[in-house]
């Protein structure tokens, strides 16, 4: 039995304090077992919390300590048969989960249970809870909607467990990754209301997720992650077999193959499960020896290293070098390579696969035993860390109490935390060694620089004569200025506290980059060389305390060259790299940096990027969205400065990026709101009753770097209806709070900045109006109260998120307003007057960007001309309302003879040239407006403005 008195004083105090919070009658009834329970409480706040909430578990924990086993599935089913309501179902699931998890934690922490047994118990418990909840809910939905059928045969929803749940190796505090599918399309039979199978299984899946994921007074069963399903968060919640097969054959990615190695049907049925595995196996396992898997795994590992750098993870036993993930990579890579031929390797469990690889002679006895023992040690450490407080963590503790707990929980012959820490690091070193043999990676810092003479000059005291000799071959006009610049960087680098290893890296990296910058700058002006040196020194200053990034630049010549090239081409990129060093990761693979990109790829990459983020960690979700935006925006900027994208293509990609991030942000906000308040009536994850309308540059697909997002949000909830959660609020209030949360996600400044400035002033009543209004209220406002300039703005709108019904409704309102007959005199006066007001308030003659936008013949003048023509002629030509971007609108106007083809060409060329200059300003390139090209475009726009607006205004007067 555990010895409470032998614990350190701090742990004894923690255990006694938790014990005192038990009800008195339970404390007294424990008698001689009090010290055993105090021992458990000292090591685990989770065990203490469960016993305090459900005191009846205390005696069961102590009295059965030698024979703790999980109850059978029949025991849970018996409890669920007493449930008459969903609330009762939720309570039973949570209480059952907490009871058994506390027993497992007690056995693990206090009685040194074998880790493989613990992994199996945690996985079995999860499987029982998921399947029992599914069975209960299926019956309820079948009574209400009928039984889903295909050709008269009842259809089940198949629940695929992914990750460690699929491998029966679930973490103690893990979330669960699931995929829902069903055999065939069809309709339900025998219920009060018949629906198609897709609807039935979607609603069933939503309720099953809520039964497991929703937080109630009894807490939560599991965090449920559905993002591994086809098309991720934007895909159908449940998919039929034919759709699943089509997706994997046509769109399946290598990382999905890797993930599907762990796929296991949790509720198998003999009539349907073999067909499902027949779809999965050919996708995952190739018939030939598949050595390409190693390259793909190397790429995935690189992404994990990037994640560790970005998050600044320290002592992470899962993602760190030699961690749990690398051990899994070793085994799963051989499965992907060989299991197409060796069917015995087609197993979801790590230990089963490793054992089979040993049997087949892939691993020698020594390597096999090393990998297995080190892996199980790390899994034991992971379990202990999570059992302390039922939190999903894989980082070794930094606090004294956590370190004492871990040292005692692991015990063996290593009594101190320092001993355990050394043992864990040794284990990770062994796994790293095996991983390097397979993947072919070696971390090293070369002791001999390719520019060793520059390193020698940098070391020690700064000597101007030595530097002058180094600079002589480059024929600089004023080498003393460059030497002074280097001297300041040298002094600054020695003042920073970077540690012994950091100092060694800095000593190599600074002179290496100086040499490469000077070679890169041959033939360029000294001013540009000095500007580039300043940019690179700023970046090095930003990363000087982060050895992972110093390592990256020393080891990767290509990354250094990309950094020098891009910083030399764009001060904007240089500033981004210095502010956000995480972007250095994007320089590792130049082919990826300049790879063509499209809208669908952007959304898919965002989904993949966000898969690694805990959906319950809002702070890290927000930070990750910002990191993705910065990384993707860098790709666009790199292709921009390389001349690979036109100005319209740059805007297209920046707009698609904003749309993808907006959609994901709405999904995050929706999940948070519905968990708290429930859904508004007649809404679901796939039809939220919400519409986001883009205005201005966003609406016109013309975003630039740093553009705001002009938007209006609409909803269609019925007046007076309430949400359907346990904490109900009025639906209209729900949508107000939803938009507030969306703005919070997009606008809040985190470590990586903010996503976008959000401008909602174009909504009805402007800044004094509600953040979101009903679609009928929007219709009424546009028809009765909107000003001409608001109808002008409507020409630049399009729906960027929302259900089909709301999109159709908005488009009808938009067309109705734009196609209204207008008095020409009033229209031209309103447009000219508003143009003059904007110029008076916003034009800054001393600012080039302001002149390009608001000056005579500038961007706004062209936009106002186009808007005027659309408002004037759409009553005669409704098809003019089809587009929202200026270039296509001008094409439409010319096609109908409303402007001449020469006018269309002049306005289009001027518009694109001016936008290109605006882009150049945004990425830090020099722009001058004194040239002949600017004057030509400006005069042509002014002439068209005079001819169509000023002259017409005079004629009408």
């Amino acid at each position: 039995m555990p010895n409470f008195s032998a614990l350190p004083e701090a742990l004894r105090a923690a255990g006694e304090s938790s014990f005192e919070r038990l009800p008195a009658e339970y404390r007294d009834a424990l008698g001689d077992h009090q010290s055993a329970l105090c021992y458990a409480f000292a090591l685990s706040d989770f065990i203490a919390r469960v016993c305090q909430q459900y005191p009846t578990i205390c005696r069961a924990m102590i009295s059965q300590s030698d024979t703790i086993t999980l109850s059978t599935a029949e025991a849970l089913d018996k409890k669920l048969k007493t449930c008459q309501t969903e609330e009762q179902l939720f309570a039973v699931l949570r209480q059952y989960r907490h009871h058994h998890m506390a027993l497992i934690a007690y056995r693990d922490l206090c009685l040194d249970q074998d880790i493989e047994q613990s992994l199996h118990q945690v996985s079995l418990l999860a499987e029982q809870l998921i399947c029992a909840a599914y069975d209960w809910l299926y019956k309820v939905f079948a009574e209400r909607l009928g039984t889903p059928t295909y050709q008269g045969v009842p259809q089940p929803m198949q629940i695929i467990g992914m990750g460690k749940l699929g491998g029966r190796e679930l973490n103690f505090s893990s979330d669960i990754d699931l995929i829902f599918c069903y055999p065939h399309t069809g309709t339900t039979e025998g219920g009060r209301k018949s629906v198609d199978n897709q609807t039935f299984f979607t609603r069933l899946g939503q309720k099953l997720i809520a039964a497991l994921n929703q937080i109630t007074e009894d807490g939560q069963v599991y965090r449920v992650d559905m993002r591994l399903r086809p098309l991720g968060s934007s895909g159908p919640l449940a998919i039929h077999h034919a759709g699943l097969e089509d997706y994997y054959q046509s769109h399946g990615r290598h990382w999905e193959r890797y993930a599907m190695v762990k796929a296991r049907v949790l509720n198998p049925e003999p009539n349907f499960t073999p067909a499902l595995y027949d779809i999965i196996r050919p996708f995952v396992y190739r018939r030939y020896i598949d050595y390409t898997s190693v390259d793909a795994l190397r790429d995935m590992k690189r992404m994990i290293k990037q994640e560790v750098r970005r998050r600044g993870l320290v002592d992470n036993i899962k993602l760190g070098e030699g961690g749990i993930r690398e051990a899994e990579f070793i085994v799963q890579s051989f499965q992907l390579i060989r299991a197409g031929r060796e069917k015995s390797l087609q197993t979801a469990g790590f230990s089963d696969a490793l054992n089979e690889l040993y049997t087949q002679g892939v691993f020698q006895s020594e390597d096999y035993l090393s990998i297995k023992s080190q892996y199980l040690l790390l899994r034991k450490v992971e379990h202990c860390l999570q059992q302390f407080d039922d939190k999903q963590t894989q980082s070794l503790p930094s606090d004294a109490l956590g370190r004492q707990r871990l040292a005692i929980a692991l015990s063996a012959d290593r009594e101190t935390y320092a001993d355990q820490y050394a043992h864990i690091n040794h284990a990770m070193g062994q796994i790293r060694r095996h991983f390097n043999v397979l993947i072919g990676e070696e971390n090293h810092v070369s002791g001999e620089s390719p520019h060793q003479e520059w390193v020698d000059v940098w070391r020690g005291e700064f000597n101007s004569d030595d530097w002058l000799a180094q600079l002589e071959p480059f024929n600089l006009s004023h080498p003393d200025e460059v030497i002074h610049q280097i001297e300041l960087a040298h002094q600054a680098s020695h003042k920073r506290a970077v540690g012994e290893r950091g100092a060694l890296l800095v000593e190599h990296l600074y002179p290496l980059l100086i040499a490469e910058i000077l070679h890169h700058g041959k033939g360029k002006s000294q001013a540009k060389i000095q500007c580039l040196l300043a940019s690179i020194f700023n970046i090095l200053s930003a990363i000087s305390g982060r050895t992972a990034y110093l390592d990256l630049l020393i080891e990767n010549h290509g990354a250094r060259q990309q950094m020098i090239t891009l910083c030399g081409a764009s001060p904007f990129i240089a500033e981004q790299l210095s502010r956000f060093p995480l972007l250095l990761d994007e320089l590792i693979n130049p082919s990826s940096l300049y790879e063509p990109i499209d809208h669908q790829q952007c959304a898919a990459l965002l989904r993949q990027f966000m898969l690694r983020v805990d959906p319950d960690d809002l702070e890290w979700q927000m930070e990750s969205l910002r990191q993705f935006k910065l990384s993707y925006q860098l790709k666009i900027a790199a292709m921009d400065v390389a001349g690979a994208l036109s100005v319209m293509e740059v805007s297209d990609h920046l707009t698609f990026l904003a749309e993808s991030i907006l959609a994901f942000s709405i999904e995050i906000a929706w999940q948070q709101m519905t968990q708290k308040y429930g859904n508004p009536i007649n809404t679901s994850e796939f039809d939220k009753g919400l519409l986001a309308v883009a205005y201005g540059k966003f609406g016109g697909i013309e975003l630039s770097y740093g553009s705001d997002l002009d938007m209006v949000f609409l909803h269609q909830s019925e007046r007076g209806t309430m949400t359907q959660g346990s904490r109900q609020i009025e639906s209209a209030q729900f949508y107000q709070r939803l938009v507030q949360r969306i703005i919070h996600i997009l606008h809040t400044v985190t470590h990586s900045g903010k996503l976008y400035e959000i401008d909602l002033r174009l909504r009805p009543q402007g800044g004094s109006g509600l953040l979101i209004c009903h679609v009928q209220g929007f219709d009424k406002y546009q028809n009765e109260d909107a000003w001409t300039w608001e109808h002008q703005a409507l020409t630049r709108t399009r729906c960027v998120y929302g259900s089909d019904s709301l999109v159709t409704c908005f488009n009808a309102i938009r067309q109705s307003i734009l196609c209204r007959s207008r008095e020409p005199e009033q229209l031209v006066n309103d447009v000219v007057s508003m143009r003059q007001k904007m110029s008076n308030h916003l034009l800054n003659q001393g600012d080039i960007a302001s002149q390009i936008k608001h000056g005579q013949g500038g961007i706004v003048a062209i936009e106002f001309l186009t808007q005027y023509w659309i408002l004037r002629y759409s009553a005669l030509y409704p098809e003019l309302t089809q587009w929202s971007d200026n270039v296509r609108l001008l094409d439409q106007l010319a096609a109908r003879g409303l402007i001449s083809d020469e006018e269309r060409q002049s306005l289009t060329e001027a518009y694109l040239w001016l936008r290109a200059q605006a882009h150049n300003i945004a990425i830090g390139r020099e722009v001058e407006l004194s040239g002949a090209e600017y004057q030509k475009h400006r005069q042509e726009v002014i002439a068209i403005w005079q001819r169509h607006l000023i002259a017409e205004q005079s004629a009408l007067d």
Side-chain angles (χ1 to χ4, degrees):
M1 293 296 291
N3 186 356
F4 178 67
S5 62
L7 292 177
E9 182 179 350
L11 287 180
R12 291 202 309 274
E16 289 168 348
S17 175
S18 294
F19 185 78
E20 288 300 316
R21 289 196 289 273
L22 284 175
E25 63 270 24
Y26 288 95
R27 294 200 306 269
D28 296 340
L30 287 168
D32 296 337
H33 296 295
Q34 289 187 12
S35 64
L37 205 58
C38 284
Y39 186 97
F41 290 0
L43 293 186
S44 172
D45 295 331
F46 166 68
I47 295 176
R49 199 162 54 242
V50 171
C51 289
Q52 289 159 9
Q53 189 171 5
Y54 313 106
T56 56
I57 194 178
C58 295
R59 181 156 294 280
M61 182 178 294
I62 300 301
S63 62
Q64 299 182 36
S65 59
D66 293 328
T67 56
I68 293 176
T69 56
L70 288 175
S71 301
T72 62
E74 288 77 12
L76 178 57
D77 291 338
K78 184 177 180 181
K79 288 179 178 291
L80 292 182
K81 285 179 181 178
T82 66
C83 297
Q84 300 298 315
T85 65
E86 289 178 4
E87 289 76 12
Q88 292 172 346
L89 168 71
F90 283 25
V92 167
L93 292 173
R94 283 150 182 76
Q95 291 167 18
Y96 188 88
R97 184 262 182 193
H98 299 328
H99 178 96
H100 286 83
M101 290 295 277
L103 293 178
I104 295 170
Y106 181 85
R107 187 69 181 264
D108 226 14
L109 292 173
C110 303
L111 303 179
D112 196 27
Q113 176 172 262
D114 178 74
I115 183 58
E116 288 189 286
Q117 188 175 356
S118 295
L119 294 171
H120 178 74
Q121 289 176 352
V122 172
S123 303
L124 178 59
L125 175 61
E127 194 171 322
Q128 289 178 5
L129 288 162
I130 295 165
C131 293
Y134 161 76
D135 290 340
W136 192 94
L137 290 167
Y138 187 98
K139 292 175 183 175
V140 170
F141 274 79
E143 290 174 3
R144 187 185 310 160
L145 302 174
T147 301
T149 61
Y150 172 74
Q151 296 181 351
V153 178
Q155 302 285 294
M157 184 173 80
Q158 295 167 294
I159 305 171
I160 303 175
M162 304 291 288
K164 291 187 171 62
L165 173 60
R168 294 188 173 94
E169 304 150 349
L170 196 62
N171 301 341
F172 187 84
S173 299
S174 179
D175 53 7
I176 54 173
D177 296 285
L178 302 176
I179 295 175
F180 298 152
C181 60
Y182 58 97
H184 298 285
T185 57
T187 56
T188 61
E189 297 179 2
R192 297 191 294 270
K193 177 185 177 183
S194 179
V195 296
D196 60 84
N197 288 355
Q198 176 73 52
T199 300
F200 179 94
F201 289 119
T202 297
R203 293 181 183 177
L204 174 60
Q206 289 169 338
K207 188 59 67 176
L208 177 58
I209 292 170
L212 300 170
N213 190 81
Q214 189 169 309
I215 298 174
T216 71
E217 62 183 14
D218 290 298
Q220 188 178 40
V221 186
Y222 297 105
R223 294 177 299 274
V224 180
D225 194 334
M226 301 296 300
R227 292 173 296 169
L228 289 177
R229 70 185 190 264
L231 297 176
S233 298
S234 62
L237 189 63
I239 186 170
H240 54 80
H241 284 189
L244 194 73
E245 183 172 25
D246 179 68
Y247 173 81
Y248 286 131
Q249 286 183 355
S250 304
H251 307 290
R253 305 290 183 89
H254 200 100
W255 66 265
E256 289 176 297
R257 282 186 63 204
Y258 178 82
M260 293 301 287
V261 169
K262 295 284 191 184
R264 179 171 62 88
V265 180
L266 303 182
N267 57 334
E269 295 190 31
N271 293 331
F272 302 104
T273 303
L276 179 55
Y277 281 126
D278 285 344
I279 293 171
I280 294 173
R281 285 195 189 99
F283 168 63
V284 179
Y285 302 111
R286 304 295 192 245
R287 293 180 181 177
Y288 47 85
I289 301 297
D290 185 15
Y291 289 108
T292 63
S293 299
V294 175
D295 287 333
L297 288 167
R298 186 181 293 118
D299 288 340
M300 283 189 275
K301 180 56 186 173
R302 178 183 56 79
M303 292 172 64
I304 291 173
K305 286 181 67 176
Q306 177 177 312
E307 165 84 350
V308 171
R309 279 197 295 268
R310 291 185 173 198
R311 296 186 64 173
L313 297 177
V314 178
D315 287 340
N316 190 287
I317 60 167
K318 178 181 179 181
L319 302 180
E321 291 189 354
I324 294 167
R325 184 59 59 84
E326 286 192 1
E328 293 169 340
F329 273 2
I330 293 168
V331 171
Q332 285 177 258
S333 63
F334 279 112
Q335 287 183 274
L336 289 177
I337 291 168
R338 305 170 67 95
R341 291 188 175 183
E342 303 289 344
K343 297 290 194 290
S344 58
L345 283 171
Q346 295 180 10
T347 177
F350 175 92
S351 293
D352 292 341
L354 181 62
N355 293 341
E356 187 59 33
L357 288 168
Y358 172 59
T359 301
Q360 294 183 14
V362 175
F363 291 117
Q364 298 299 311
S365 177
E366 182 180 352
D367 292 337
Y368 161 73
L369 292 173
S370 173
I371 293 171
K372 186 165 187 176
S373 62
Q374 313 304 353
Y375 172 79
L376 292 177
L377 170 64
L378 295 183
R379 292 306 307 274
K380 176 71 173 181
V381 174
E382 180 183 44
H383 254 232
C384 291
L385 292 173
Q386 296 182 358
Q387 286 164 339
F388 294 159
D389 199 23
D390 195 18
K391 290 182 178 177
Q392 189 178 22
T393 179
Q394 288 91 16
S395 293
L396 296 176
S398 57
D399 62 295
L401 194 68
R403 289 177 171 181
Q404 287 180 348
R405 282 174 165 169
L406 185 60
I408 290 167
L410 296 177
S411 61
D413 296 326
R414 290 166 288 276
E415 296 184 356
T416 69
Y417 177 75
D419 293 335
Q420 295 290 2
Y421 185 78
H423 185 50
I424 292 166
N425 273 319
H426 174 75
M428 294 179 73
Q430 291 299 304
I431 291 175
R432 182 63 178 173
R433 179 175 62 83
H434 292 296
F435 180 81
N436 283 335
V437 170
L438 171 68
I439 300 299
E441 281 190 356
E442 288 292 347
N443 276 340
H444 64 276
V445 177
S446 175
E448 197 67 24
S449 168
H451 296 286
Q452 187 62 38
E453 70 277 11
W454 293 81
V455 176
D456 294 338
V457 175
W458 177 271
R459 285 173 172 163
E461 294 296 322
F462 191 88
N463 188 304
S464 296
D465 291 338
D466 291 342
W467 277 106
L468 189 62
Q470 289 296 121
L471 297 179
E472 186 176 355
F474 298 96
N475 299 317
L476 299 172
S477 55
H478 300 284
D480 55 312
E481 293 180 7
V482 176
I483 291 173
H484 179 65
Q485 195 175 5
I486 295 172
E487 183 177 15
L488 293 176
H490 184 270
Q491 292 171 356
S493 71
H494 281 73
K495 290 177 182 177
R496 299 187 193 100
V498 296
E500 183 178 347
R501 175 166 172 75
L504 175 65
L505 295 171
V506 165
E507 191 175 76
H508 281 77
L509 186 55
Y510 267 88
L512 176 61
L513 279 167
I514 292 169
E516 291 178 345
I517 289 168
L518 288 165
H519 283 286
H520 174 82
K522 281 185 175 179
K524 296 183 173 66
S525 70
Q526 181 170 320
K528 288 189 175 180
I529 293 173
Q530 287 188 249
C531 182
L532 181 54
L533 280 170
S535 296
I536 299 300
F537 288 161
N538 283 338
I539 294 170
L540 294 180
S541 176
I543 66 172
S544 61
R546 303 172 71 173
T547 56
Y549 285 111
L550 297 173
D551 260 327
L552 183 155
L553 289 175
I554 286 177
E555 294 176 6
N556 196 305
H557 175 264
R560 293 197 307 275
Q561 292 306 302
Q562 285 301 312
M563 179 175 69
I564 291 170
T565 300
L566 292 173
C567 288
S570 168
F572 165 78
I573 294 178
E575 186 264 346
Q576 290 283 291
L577 290 171
S578 64
R579 285 185 62 199
F580 310 111
L582 60 94
L583 292 175
L584 293 171
D585 286 306
E586 306 306 320
L587 308 182
I588 296 174
N589 187 350
S591 62
S592 174
L593 188 64
Y594 296 101
E595 185 180 0
I597 47 183
D598 59 41
H599 185 198
Q600 293 301 321
Q601 183 187 30
C602 179
L605 286 173
L606 176 59
R607 286 195 302 271
Q608 182 179 345
F609 188 83
M610 296 300 290
L611 277 173
R612 62 196 172 84
V613 183
D614 181 354
D616 291 330
D617 189 344
L618 175 62
E619 182 179 350
W620 186 239
Q621 281 184 315
M622 290 169 61
E623 174 66 12
S624 297
L625 284 173
R626 284 149 181 77
Q627 291 182 359
F628 179 84
K629 182 202 172 185
L630 290 170
S631 300
Y632 204 81
Q633 186 174 261
L634 179 66
K635 286 171 63 75
I636 298 169
M639 296 181 73
D640 188 1
V641 299
L645 296 176
S646 68
V647 63
M648 289 183 69
E649 289 172 328
V650 169
S651 290
D652 285 350
H653 291 310
L654 290 171
T655 303
F656 298 155
L657 173 62
E659 287 181 28
S660 299
I661 289 175
L662 172 64
F664 208 98
S665 299
I666 292 174
E667 297 294 333
I668 293 172
W670 179 264
Q671 291 299 325
Q672 289 187 320
M673 288 293 294
T674 52
Q675 282 181 10
K676 191 171 184 179
Y677 302 111
N679 288 27
I681 194 169
N682 296 326
T683 65
S684 70
E685 178 186 356
F686 308 105
D687 185 353
K688 299 177 176 62
L690 173 77
L691 184 69
V693 181
Y695 275 70
K697 288 183 179 179
F698 193 19
I701 319 176
E702 296 168 358
L703 288 183
S704 183
Y705 306 97
S707 291
D708 298 350
L709 301 187
D710 295 310
M711 287 189 293
V712 167
F713 288 99
L714 304 176
H715 70 90
Q716 59 182 0
S717 66
E718 297 178 18
R719 183 186 298 274
T721 58
M722 307 295 288
T723 58
Q724 301 176 82
S726 56
R727 184 180 171 188
Q728 294 184 336
I729 59 173
E730 193 171 1
S731 295
Q733 185 182 16
F734 173 94
Y735 283 109
Q736 292 293 325
R737 295 185 183 180
L738 175 64
V739 173
Q740 288 175 337
R741 191 150 301 197
I742 294 168
I743 294 171
H744 172 75
I745 292 169
L746 293 170
H747 191 264
T748 299
V749 178
T750 73
H751 180 73
S752 295
K754 67 174 67 173
L755 283 169
Y756 295 99
E757 290 281 354
I758 307 301
D759 192 338
L760 301 181
R761 290 175 295 175
L762 287 168
R763 67 187 186 271
Q765 308 301 335
S768 62
L770 297 173
L771 292 178
I772 181 172
C773 74
H774 196 282
V775 65
Q776 293 176 358
F778 179 82
D779 187 10
K780 184 175 185 295
Y781 177 83
Q782 290 291 336
N783 275 291
E784 298 177 8
D785 301 311
W787 297 79
T788 299
W789 65 265
E790 291 176 285
H791 289 172
Q792 285 180 244
L794 204 60
T795 66
R796 303 264 287 162
T797 60
R798 62 191 178 89
C799 300
V800 290
Y801 184 94
S803 61
D804 291 341
S805 60
L806 265 173
V807 170
T808 300
C809 185
F810 172 82
N811 286 339
I813 293 170
R814 177 179 182 270
Q815 183 165 20
S816 172
I817 296 297
L818 296 182
C819 292
R820 179 188 295 177
S821 295
R822 293 173 170 83
E823 286 292 332
E825 181 178 359
Q826 183 64 47
L827 177 61
V828 73
N829 285 336
D830 287 348
V831 172
V832 172
S833 173
M834 179 53 66
R835 171 76 178 99
Q836 190 59 51
K837 286 179 182 177
M838 287 183 65
S839 180
N840 292 341
H841 284 87
L842 300 175
L843 177 60
N844 179 355
Q845 294 289 355
D847 180 58
I848 293 179
S850 179
Q851 288 185 55
I852 288 173
K853 184 173 182 180
H854 295 289
Q856 279 196 313
I859 288 174
V860 172
I862 300 172
E863 291 173 344
F864 267 52
L865 276 165
T866 308
Q867 291 162 14
Y868 164 73
W869 288 322
I870 296 300
L871 293 181
R872 175 138 188 204
Y873 297 117
S874 289
L876 298 174
Y877 304 98
E879 61 272 21
L880 290 175
T881 65
Q882 180 180 0
W883 306 113
S884 60
D885 61 292
N886 260 30
V887 172
R888 281 188 292 195
L889 289 173
L890 289 169
D891 288 344
Q892 294 283 312
L893 290 163
R896 282 148 188 82
L898 302 172
I899 60 174
S900 69
D901 195 58
E902 291 77 10
E903 288 172 328
R904 177 202 61 78
Q905 185 173 349
S906 294
L907 291 173
T908 299
E909 289 178 356
Y911 192 63
L912 294 178
W913 189 87
L914 290 167
R915 281 179 53 200
Q917 306 319 302
H919 277 309
N920 286 334
I921 291 172
I923 61 176
R925 287 178 162 175
E926 293 183 7
V927 171
E928 293 185 5
L929 297 184
S930 56
E933 189 169 12
Y934 170 64
Q935 293 301 326
K936 170 182 174 293
H937 289 312
R938 179 172 178 270
Q939 293 302 325
E940 287 177 349
V941 174
I942 291 173
I944 295 171
W945 179 275
Q946 294 285 342
R947 187 160 59 247
H948 281 271
L949 284 176
I950 304 304
E952 186 161 349
Q953 187 179 33
S954 299
L956 290 170
D957 288 344

